[in-house]
Amino acid sequence: MKNEGIEGMERFLSPGSGRGLRAVRHFTEGELVFACPAYSYVLTVNERGAHCEHCFSRREDLFKCGKCKQAYYCNVDCQRGDWPMHKLECVAMNAYGENWCPSETVRLVARIIVKQRVTTERTPSERLLLLREFESHLDKMDSEKDEMNQTDIAALHHFYSRHISDLPDKQALTELFAQVNCNGFTIEDEELSHLGSAVFPDVALMNHSCSPNVIVTYKGTVAEVRAVQEINPGDEIFNSYIDLLYPTEDRKERLLDSYFFTCQCTECTTRSKDKAKMEIRKLSSPPEPEEIRSMVHYAKNVIEEFRRAKHYKNILFLCLNLELLEMCELSQEKMGAIFADTNVYMLHMMYQAMGVCLYMQDWDGAMSYGEKIIQPYSVHYPAYSLNVASMYLKLGRLYLGLEKKAQGVKALKKAIAIMEVAHGKDHNYVAEVKREIEEQK
């Protein structure tokens, strides 16, 4: 494939940010800026049986691979289409049984290696940026990240050396894993549930802003980039790399740790939303600055503690779910002595508590948390935020399940208003939500 570029877009050297993407024509709010098929992708193991391994379609009548009996497909065409990648795992999953456990990143890198060997020309995913041009930032990685890289490389050799002949040498693999970690994407559904991982080279060309003018959503294994602001010729196209809920210092820390740069966007220089995001409870005697700093430190620690607890504990067991919920409730009680309910650290723990309630099928509990979260989310996040849309969806579906019809329909309509801009009016997710509303008539 020749380098045909992307209509309406051009690659350029962005001042202070290296290469970037800018518009050469006008784009209106909600307009598709460009679409990019995944160069390589992998369905997360938790969604096997619910989504097609090849096209990521969500349906109930999937059929399983006759050999490994773990991969599921829409039809024979999808199974054949996926075979060049699935064959890397099919026999191995049978051979290893329950011991087959490479990480999602390892599975994705294995597929990239195979694809690179059989692909000699520029792919439709690389109209402006080649995968091999990805930044790796190896010189900026600390010992912890390097250790994680080496663990992944060892797992790649362990699980794939029999199926991929002549794996790249250690240095090449170190660079490839670093490139994928810095440039990979998580494919999510309409409620932001994790579906899989992928690389989209042209999408990775966009630089970050905490006030982005585009949003990335997914139609199967294709990334779609849509304008969420008016974009004029000459404007740089900015995506957000991170969750934008948090205050400036938190965002800067996350970007520096994960992507190795210090954000200088307008939102970071003005800090215009920080006061609202860090709202302090109205008390007869206002807390001292040191008390606030101490509570922020506690909040960050408890967020990390909760993340580790979710990662390391098997939350299939009810007692551990109750333990996680108790952790959320205790942290909210402590932070609530200083922080208002609209404070982002309070909202973070409410969101985690809502997730545990949903897992435990405590619908009333989940609804109660969702109702506390939705309004502050609408203030803290940018317009057309997927986080806000997904919260309206969850709330709407909870209301309908609890026979609160009017509230459910109202919440789903608010979700659609965002989704029609972020996903496009013709997206199957939008159609699904509209059907849910129609069924209530």
Side-chain angles (χ1 to χ4, degrees):
M1 178 181 175
K2 295 180 181 178
N3 184 4
E4 298 173 347
I6 299 174
E7 185 180 353
M9 296 285 110
E10 68 178 3
R11 174 173 166 169
F12 80 117
L13 193 60
S14 177
S17 302
R19 61 200 176 206
L21 190 64
R22 70 181 169 195
V24 296
R25 72 167 179 86
H26 179 261
F27 290 91
T28 59
E29 191 177 84
E31 186 176 355
L32 180 67
V33 177
F34 71 96
C36 178
Y39 178 93
S40 190
Y41 60 90
V42 60
L43 182 75
T44 187
V45 294
N46 292 332
E47 291 299 330
R48 281 185 166 156
H51 290 261
C52 174
E53 200 92 12
H54 181 59
C55 71
F56 278 32
S57 290
R58 179 172 59 198
R59 47 194 294 178
E60 296 178 357
D61 58 344
L62 299 170
F63 73 91
K64 66 177 70 173
C65 169
K67 294 184 178 179
C68 67
K69 296 180 173 52
Q70 293 192 53
Y72 288 76
Y73 299 98
C74 298
N75 49 45
V76 173
D77 289 338
C78 278
Q79 186 173 22
R80 286 174 179 162
D82 194 50
W83 180 244
M85 294 300 152
H86 178 57
K87 68 181 180 183
L88 289 171
E89 302 182 346
C90 189
V91 176
M93 284 192 290
N94 275 336
Y96 282 95
E98 293 182 357
N99 294 320
W100 169 257
C101 57
S103 71
E104 202 160 297
T105 302
V106 170
R107 295 175 63 211
L108 180 60
V109 167
R111 292 173 180 227
I112 291 171
I113 291 169
V114 171
K115 174 113 180 220
Q116 287 177 326
R117 289 185 176 177
V118 299
T119 306
T120 56
E121 295 186 346
R122 184 183 291 265
T123 69
S125 311
E126 304 170 292
R127 289 170 290 176
L128 292 176
L129 182 70
L130 295 168
L131 187 143
R132 65 170 177 265
E133 293 182 90
F134 280 178
E135 292 282 359
S136 64
H137 299 291
L138 281 176
D139 58 324
K140 300 172 185 173
M141 285 174 54
D142 58 24
S143 57
E144 183 180 354
K145 286 186 173 61
D146 182 62
E147 185 177 334
M148 289 171 63
N149 252 5
Q150 299 313 313
T151 300
D152 280 341
I153 290 170
L156 181 74
H157 277 280
H158 178 73
F159 290 110
Y160 288 94
S161 58
R162 299 178 194 172
H163 313 285
I164 304 177
S165 59
D166 301 321
L167 281 168
D169 62 31
K170 183 177 180 180
Q171 181 56 36
L173 287 175
T174 299
E175 181 168 12
L176 181 55
F177 272 103
Q179 288 174 317
V180 170
N181 285 326
C182 283
N183 296 277
F185 287 80
T186 295
I187 298 179
E188 296 170 324
D189 68 10
E190 77 276 28
E191 289 194 3
L192 300 187
S193 295
H194 178 82
L195 299 184
S197 299
V199 283
F200 301 95
D202 287 336
V203 182
L205 180 57
M206 293 186 290
N207 285 314
H208 166 86
S209 171
C210 297
S211 182
N213 53 13
V214 299
I215 197 163
V216 180
T217 54
Y218 302 96
K219 189 173 282 185
T221 61
V222 175
E224 295 192 329
V225 179
R226 292 182 184 276
V228 291
Q229 300 174 18
E230 293 282 322
I231 299 174
N232 294 310
D235 287 351
E236 181 164 1
I237 306 299
F238 288 110
N239 180 32
S240 172
Y241 294 179
I242 58 170
D243 187 340
L244 296 174
L245 178 65
Y246 303 94
T248 302
E249 288 306 317
D250 288 37
R251 298 195 310 272
K252 283 178 173 285
E253 285 177 15
R254 169 74 191 282
L255 290 165
L256 188 60
D257 180 64
S258 299
Y259 301 100
F260 309 100
F261 71 89
T262 300
C263 187
Q264 301 292 343
C265 74
T266 303
E267 187 58 44
C268 283
T269 53
T270 63
R271 300 172 180 255
S272 64
K273 293 187 175 183
D274 280 7
K275 185 177 179 180
K277 290 181 176 184
M278 291 300 300
E279 188 72 31
I280 303 302
R281 186 172 296 283
K282 290 179 173 59
L283 302 167
S284 55
S285 177
E288 296 293 326
E290 181 54 40
E291 290 181 277
I292 297 172
R293 283 194 293 271
S294 176
M295 192 58 75
V296 169
H297 180 71
Y298 165 78
K300 290 181 178 180
N301 283 342
V302 80
I303 286 170
E304 178 60 20
E305 183 184 350
F306 186 87
R307 185 193 66 79
R308 288 178 178 170
K310 280 180 70 178
H311 180 74
Y312 289 113
K313 292 179 179 177
N314 182 352
I315 62 170
L316 291 174
F317 295 102
L318 178 61
C319 60
L320 294 178
N321 276 294
L322 292 171
E323 187 179 322
L324 291 171
L325 187 58
E326 183 180 19
M327 186 187 298
C328 292
E329 291 170 345
L330 289 173
S331 65
Q332 289 175 65
E333 184 179 343
K334 181 169 181 176
M335 289 189 289
I338 291 180
F339 295 157
D341 285 351
T342 57
N343 184 293
V344 295
Y345 296 122
M346 292 286 284
L347 293 171
H348 179 101
M349 297 314 296
M350 288 180 197
Y351 182 81
Q352 298 301 332
M354 182 182 181
V356 177
C357 286
L358 287 170
Y359 195 89
M360 295 169 62
Q361 299 185 6
D362 175 6
W363 311 128
D364 287 303
M367 180 187 69
S368 177
Y369 279 115
E371 289 175 336
K372 293 177 183 177
I373 292 168
I374 189 60
Q375 195 54 45
Y377 262 31
S378 301
V379 172
H380 296 328
Y381 277 111
Y384 307 114
S385 165
L386 296 177
N387 300 79
V388 178
S390 71
M391 186 54 63
Y392 274 124
L393 272 180
K394 288 174 182 175
L395 259 179
R397 288 165 174 170
L398 278 168
Y399 284 139
L400 294 181
L402 293 168
E403 299 184 356
K404 298 177 182 287
K405 180 178 173 180
Q407 290 169 275
V409 169
K410 184 178 179 181
L412 292 183
K413 284 182 176 178
K414 288 188 175 182
I416 285 177
I418 299 171
M419 293 171 69
E420 285 187 332
V421 173
H423 291 82
K425 293 181 179 181
D426 64 342
H427 199 288
N428 60 300
Y429 288 159
V430 174
E432 284 179 16
V433 180
K434 286 183 176 179
R435 280 196 297 271
E436 289 176 61
I437 294 173
E438 282 297 312
E439 288 170 0
Q440 300 306 310
K441 293 181 178 178

